[in-house]
């Protein structure tokens, strides 16, 4: 089992920045992939960014150039630096951890962007 704890959400004005963190703990071994998703009210969950333990990253087109995903493998922690936030970025942001065929989810952290 792997547990995920997210933090860093909050209220920010449009154009502002937030940094989300997700710390993984438990039975972690070998290669793994950590991702950030978001889900706005009445919308489907959307993949935002991906970072593998090998250093590969991927971004959704909607946030390219504004968000940066990074990892500290020694701490099993993934970060999402969100700059130039827009009202449409408001959502609950979820962290996921994939390893050896299993996916684990965090509890989510709310990001609110005021216009």
């Amino acid at each position: 089992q792997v547990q995920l704890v997210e933090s860093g959400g909050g209220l920010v004005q449009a154009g502002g920045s937030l940094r989300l963190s997700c710390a993984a703990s438990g039975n972690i071994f070998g290669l793994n992939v950590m991702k950030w998703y978001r889900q706005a009210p009445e919308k489907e969950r959307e993949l935002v960014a991906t970072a593998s333990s090998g250093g590969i990253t991927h971004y959704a087109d909607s946030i390219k150039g504004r968000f940066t995903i990074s990892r500290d493998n020694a701490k099993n922690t993934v970060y999402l630096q969100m700059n130039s936030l827009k009202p449409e970025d408001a959502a609950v942001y979820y962290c996921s951890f994939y390893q050896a065929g299993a996916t684990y989810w965090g509890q989510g952290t709310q990001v609110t962007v005021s216009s």
Side-chain angles (χ1 to χ4, degrees):
Q1 285 286 339
V2 174
Q3 296 78 42
L4 302 175
V5 178
E6 299 146 339
S7 60
L11 172 64
V12 64
Q13 288 187 331
S17 298
L18 282 175
R19 187 192 194 207
L20 306 182
S21 299
C22 173
S25 61
N27 189 23
I28 297 170
F29 56 90
L31 298 177
N32 57 74
V33 181
M34 298 185 79
K35 300 181 180 183
W36 286 101
Y37 288 80
R38 67 185 182 186
Q39 188 167 19
E42 301 182 356
K43 291 189 176 181
E44 293 188 356
R45 191 168 293 192
E46 171 191 21
L47 175 61
V48 175
T50 301
S52 74
S53 56
I56 297 173
T57 59
H58 183 268
Y59 296 93
D61 287 342
S62 60
I63 56 85
K64 276 183 181 177
R66 299 188 297 122
F67 293 8
T68 302
I69 191 169
S70 61
R71 291 185 57 148
D72 183 336
N73 288 333
K75 296 181 179 179
N76 293 313
T77 299
V78 66
Y79 305 95
L80 187 67
Q81 178 66 43
M82 305 186 294
N83 299 328
S84 302
L85 282 160
K86 304 176 180 179
E88 53 262 43
D89 294 318
V92 178
Y93 282 71
Y94 296 92
C95 171
S96 77
F97 181 96
Y98 172 84
Q99 173 181 267
T103 299
Y104 304 89
W105 292 92
Q107 79 284 359
T109 184
Q110 178 73 50
V111 172
T112 304
V113 184
S114 63
S115 57

